[in-house]
Every structure is written in structure tokens, then in C-alpha cells.
Amino acid sequence: MTNAIPLPRFPLPNETALETHAVLKMATQAHRYLAELKGVSATIPNENILISTLTLQEAKDSSAVENIITTQDELYRAELHSDGPPNLASKEVQDYASALRQGFSLVRPHGLIRLQDILDIQCTLEKNRAGLRKVPGTGLLNAATGEMVYTPPQDAQEVEQLMHNLVDYINDAQPSNLDPLIKMALIHHQFESIHPFYDGNGRTGRIINILYLVAQGLLDLPVLYLSRYFIRDKGAYYAQLQAVRDSGHWEPWILYMLEGVVQTAQETIRLIGEIKRLMQACKHGIREQLPKIYSQELLNNLFSHPYTKIEFMMNDLQVSRITATKYLDQLVEHGYLHKRRIGRSNYYINHPLFELFAPNERH
């Protein structure tokens, strides 16, 4: 089956018809929780704590949509020993997190998502500069049956024109008065339907979702990991994408995406609240029991790295190896960290933080 409906050019001629009562009601709810999430995020004293930890969660779940599966323990170990024997799944998740952080650094200063930014993100993910598709033959198959369910545009010029049209739509608020969250749903569907790259389309598209929220000022940090919503029922995600191509009906897809924003914003609000609670408890405990070693930089280190090591402590606190080792040993002695060994090196686990991200996982 090929796409019976040509891909639209944006803005759509009848965009106001998309703003049904159900859509506007859900969009209002989504905005409320995003605003709360934005406020809660600002209560964490060092933004790198959330950027370091939550982008890795988004990376893990988005990669799982593409059947790239890893555990939290494998991810954190890979962060400790990036020069060691590679766990390929963990490496791909790390590349996703790097691409998301890279995209954030590009988009944050000017609030634009340029085509070159999208190309650079995909390059970081796939480690190649193949760029937009130029050779025909790409099709999307049903994973269970092998049936061709959708054929994206095959002509290289059409792919490029559609991408320029989409980027213009992302960045120009004038042609469209749509709510930005409704626009995000349209943008994500269009990007996945153009399928502009040979590889990495799904993950690149899901990074664009988060960057768009930042570009629109709906979030200050890339902390909404929407991919958790997709991975819970991957079949529904792909079925919703395909249903629009088959029917041309946008409302179910828009409602699906808005519901995802609501659910994941609520979950992330709770998660950040728990991180804040753990940080406060750790802060008060260390200041009382180990006042000579306490600093905000030490606290930031413990909550930016669920698994930390001597080198992380040296870099973050600008102390010598002897001092970093002494600090870590004292934190272990008082129960703030758990010491483990891998090869010839030690690493140190912030157990409560690990449990927060992986309550049912052994390490």
C-alpha cells in the first residue's frame, strides 16, 4: 500500500477546522501541565542536573521505540567508561542524548529550528553525513507481516522542497494561528511522513518535538520525555501515524499527541519533585554530618551522575585526585553513596537517585 493522499504543504488551507472542541479542551490541559513543568524545572538550582539525567531517559525510551534496548545500569556504566568495550545499544542511546543536548544548544539562543540543525542532529545520531535522501527505494514495512504500509516521497527534489516547507512552518508563526501544541502534532506527523533520511528518522523527529517546545517558550529545558508515552504502546503510535495517511483525518492524531504531552508532563513534574526532595535530604544530611566537604558543586555532582567516579568529582569540584577520593570515601562511609568496582576502577552509586529512575532494576 502506498500513500493514497499526497503530503500536505503547510500551512493547511483549513487549519481552523482542526481546532475542534475536543482538541482545544485537551490543548488547554496540556498547556497547564507544561506551564507547571516549566515552573517546577526552575526550582532545581542547577539546570545541568535535569539536562544530564532526563535527556538520558528520553534517549533510552526513544531508542526503545526503534528496538534499541538497554538498562539504566548499562547506560550509567557506559557513561563511566566511554573508552571501554562498547555496549552497542548503550552507545546508540548515548548518541541520542548527545544529539538532543546538541540540538538544545543550537535552538535555545534564537528559538529557531533550522534545516541545518536537523541535519546536524541526524548526523550525530547516525555518525554519517548522508543528508537528505537522494536515492529512491525507501518504504515503511509492517514489522509483523513485512507488508509495505507506506511509501514516502521518492524524488530527491520533492523531499528537499517538503523539508524547506516544513522548516518554514516550524519557524514562522505568521501563516498559522494554530495553537503551537497542535502545530507540534502536525509537524511530527509531516516529518515522519516525509521520512527525509535513510536512517534515524524516528529518533530525529522525536528530538524535534522537544526542541519545538523549547523554541516556542513552552519549556526552558528539554525535560519532557514524550517517548515514554510512545513506547508504552508502540503499535498505537505507528497505527495513529498511518491512520492520518490513510484517511486524512487529523483529530485522532492530534488528540493522541496532546494526551501524550499531558501524561508525560504530569509524570515529569512528579519525577522532578522527587529529585528535589532527594537533593534536599542529601544536602541537609551532608551539611550536618560532613560540613567540611559540603558544597553546592558536590551536591550537583551527586545528582548529575547517578553513577559517579573520581574523575567526575575532580572535574566538577576542581579538586585533586587525593581530595576527590577522600570525599567519595566519606560519602560512602556515611551512606550517601555505594561503592562498586569495575575492572581496576571504582565507581559510586547514588542509590536513591538510581531507584527513582529504575525502581525495579538491579545494579
Side-chain angles (χ1 to χ4, degrees), residues 81-141:
H81 300 281
S82 57
D83 57 345
N87 174 308
L88 294 181
S90 296
K91 183 68 172 66
E92 291 206 45
V93 174
Q94 285 181 308
D95 288 343
Y96 184 103
S98 295
L100 175 52
R101 293 165 192 161
Q102 171 193 9
F104 175 59
S105 70
L106 294 169
V107 169
R108 186 184 207 181
H110 44 66
L112 299 175
I113 301 175
R114 302 164 298 192
L115 181 56
Q116 188 59 53
D117 299 335
I118 296 172
L119 292 167
D120 289 342
I121 288 165
Q122 191 270 346
C123 175
T124 299
L125 283 172
E126 295 297 325
K127 294 292 184 286
N128 66 59
R129 288 205 170 271
L132 301 176
R133 284 189 293 111
K134 300 175 182 63
V135 179
T138 296
L140 305 187
L141 305 178

Side-chain angles (χ1 to χ4, degrees), residues 22-35:
V23 164
L24 290 176
K25 183 178 179 182
M26 184 68 77
T28 299
Q29 191 178 9
H31 276 286
R32 178 162 66 89
Y33 285 113
L34 278 179

Side-chain angles (χ1 to χ4, degrees), residues 56-68 93 96 125 202-207 210 225-228 230-231 234 237-238:
L56 201 60
Q57 305 310 307
E58 164 62 19
K60 180 177 181 293
D61 287 336
S62 183
S63 299
V65 177
E66 311 298 331
N67 297 315
I68 301 167
V93 174
Y96 184 103
L125 283 172
R203 288 172 292 160
T204 303
R206 290 187 287 276
I207 287 175
I210 304 170
Y225 50 109
L226 197 54
S227 294
R228 169 164 289 190
F230 300 144
I231 193 59
K234 188 166 62 171
Y237 171 59
Y238 288 124

Side-chain angles (χ1 to χ4, degrees), residues 272-332:
I272 293 174
E274 285 298 303
I275 292 173
K276 185 177 180 181
R277 182 185 64 79
L278 291 176
M279 287 184 70
Q280 287 296 323
C282 189
K283 175 180 180 177
H284 293 315
I286 296 175
R287 288 177 78 171
E288 180 179 330
Q289 297 175 338
L290 298 166
K292 292 184 178 180
I293 75 168
Y294 173 78
S295 68
Q296 186 62 49
E297 290 75 21
L298 175 71
L299 192 66
N300 293 343
N301 174 276
L302 299 182
F303 283 85
S304 296
H305 311 289
Y307 288 13
T308 194
K309 62 179 181 176
I310 292 170
E311 289 78 6
F312 289 172
M313 190 71 71
M314 291 168 62
N315 291 335
D316 291 351
L317 276 66
Q318 293 296 294
V319 295
S320 68
R321 188 174 193 88
I322 292 173
T323 300
T325 303
K326 182 179 72 172
Y327 286 3
L328 289 165
D329 286 342
Q330 290 183 64
L331 291 166
V332 169

Side-chain angles (χ1 to χ4, degrees), residues 228-246:
R228 169 164 289 190
Y229 175 69
F230 300 144
I231 193 59
R232 282 182 186 142
D233 189 345
K234 188 166 62 171
Y237 171 59
Y238 288 124
Q240 290 281 1
L241 279 167
Q242 187 57 35
V244 182
R245 299 171 187 140
D246 292 339

